[in-house]
Structures are given as C-alpha cells and as structure tokens.
Amino acid sequence: METLRVEAKKYKVSIELEGHNSTIRADRQEMQELINNLCDNAIRYNKPGGTVKVTVDHDDEKVWLRVADTGIGIPKEHQKRIFERFYRVDKSRSRATGGTGLGLAIVKHIVQGMNGEIQLESELDVGTTITVLLPKQKEQEK
C-alpha cells in the first residue's frame, strides 16, 4: 500500500484499504502484480481529488478483492473488451498515462489460473469497481 500511496499522491488521489484478513493459496508475485495492476489503473484513470478504495473480505467459500475508484469510468460499449490484450478504451489518454493495454489482461489470466472470477461495474464520470473472487483456502489446506 505504501508504494501505491506514493503513486496516488502524484495523481492527487487518495487510496484506502479496508476489510478483513483472508487466506488464499496463491503465488505472492502474481498477487502483487494483480493488485498493482488494478490499483494502478484506478489511480491513473481517476480524477484529481478522487479516491481508490481497496476492500478485502471473505465468506465461507470465496475471498474477494474489490478495487473501486471515483474516476472517469468505462463506456458500456468498451466494458466487454477491456480484459483483452492490448485493448485500450482511449488510446490517446492511455499513451499519456503510460498504459500498454496489458494490465487487465494479466489480471484476467492470473484470476483464471486460480479458478477465480472477475466482475466489472463502471459508469462514465462516476467510477469503476473491479471485483476479483477467489476460492478460499480451507482450514485443512493451511
């Protein structure tokens, strides 16, 4: 979170973390990449003074990681394609912010490799929420 806070400050965005400790079986490096990609997008495509809220929680079956921002949002016609490799909604803005169109494709690949699912909710000029649902580690697996 500290590294992400430095990036958020550069874009004049606040970032907060909430939720509960949750356990999953995962590759640490892949999880860091997943979290960094989701949060980096939420920061870069936000508005000055905006917020990124990261929530981690669980139920009996799944652990979820939710990254919600108050950013520019994603037009409905682009929402089905944003997890494709090299797909960028606004090519000129993506170049300006350093986007390659790979971050969300990497996130999708990691989530699928963990038998998880990914959900997207977005509204123009309101923000975007991406939720990653992953199988919870059972007590006997710990």
Side-chain angles (χ1 to χ4, degrees), residues 7 10-11 40-46 72 88-101:
E7 186 76 4
K10 186 165 75 171
Y11 284 87
D40 190 56
N41 280 351
I43 291 166
R44 289 175 185 250
Y45 297 102
N46 214 314
I72 62 173
R88 297 186 301 196
V89 173
D90 180 345
K91 307 212 184 325
S92 62
R93 181 171 168 84
S94 294
R95 277 191 212 99
T97 58
T100 63

Side-chain angles (χ1 to χ4, degrees), residues 90-140:
D90 180 345
K91 307 212 184 325
S92 62
R93 181 171 168 84
S94 294
R95 277 191 212 99
T97 58
T100 63
L102 285 173
L104 291 178
I106 291 168
V107 167
K108 181 181 176 185
H109 176 76
I110 292 169
V111 170
Q112 287 176 333
M114 296 176 66
N115 297 317
E117 63 180 279
I118 191 163
Q119 300 171 347
L120 168 74
E121 298 170 46
S122 188
E123 190 174 334
L124 275 179
D125 295 321
V126 175
T128 300
T129 300
I130 295 181
T131 304
V132 172
L133 300 161
L134 299 170
K136 186 175 180 185
Q137 184 175 342
K138 307 283 189 246
E139 286 299 317
Q140 63 271 21

Side-chain angles (χ1 to χ4, degrees), residues 14-109:
S14 65
I15 187 165
E16 49 192 68
L17 174 65
E18 66 178 35
H20 299 91
N21 288 335
S22 301
T23 303
I24 59 171
R25 183 174 299 273
D27 178 280
R28 179 184 301 273
Q29 186 174 344
E30 282 186 347
M31 286 307 298
Q32 287 175 332
E33 189 167 14
L34 182 146
I35 293 165
N36 283 334
N37 279 327
L38 290 177
C39 291
D40 190 56
N41 280 351
I43 291 166
R44 289 175 185 250
Y45 297 102
N46 214 314
K47 303 169 188 168
T51 302
V52 174
K53 186 173 174 182
V54 180
T55 307
V56 178
D57 215 335
H58 63 271
D59 60 21
D60 291 339
E61 299 291 319
K62 296 189 184 297
V63 171
W64 61 88
L65 166 71
R66 182 171 292 127
V67 178
D69 68 55
T70 57
I72 62 173
I74 302 165
K76 290 267 187 241
E77 65 270 18
H78 294 280
Q79 290 181 14
K80 291 224 184 273
R81 298 196 60 202
I82 65 162
F83 295 101
E84 294 175 14
R85 289 178 61 201
F86 304 114
Y87 189 79
R88 297 186 301 196
V89 173
D90 180 345
K91 307 212 184 325
S92 62
R93 181 171 168 84
S94 294
R95 277 191 212 99
T97 58
T100 63
L102 285 173
L104 291 178
I106 291 168
V107 167
K108 181 181 176 185
H109 176 76

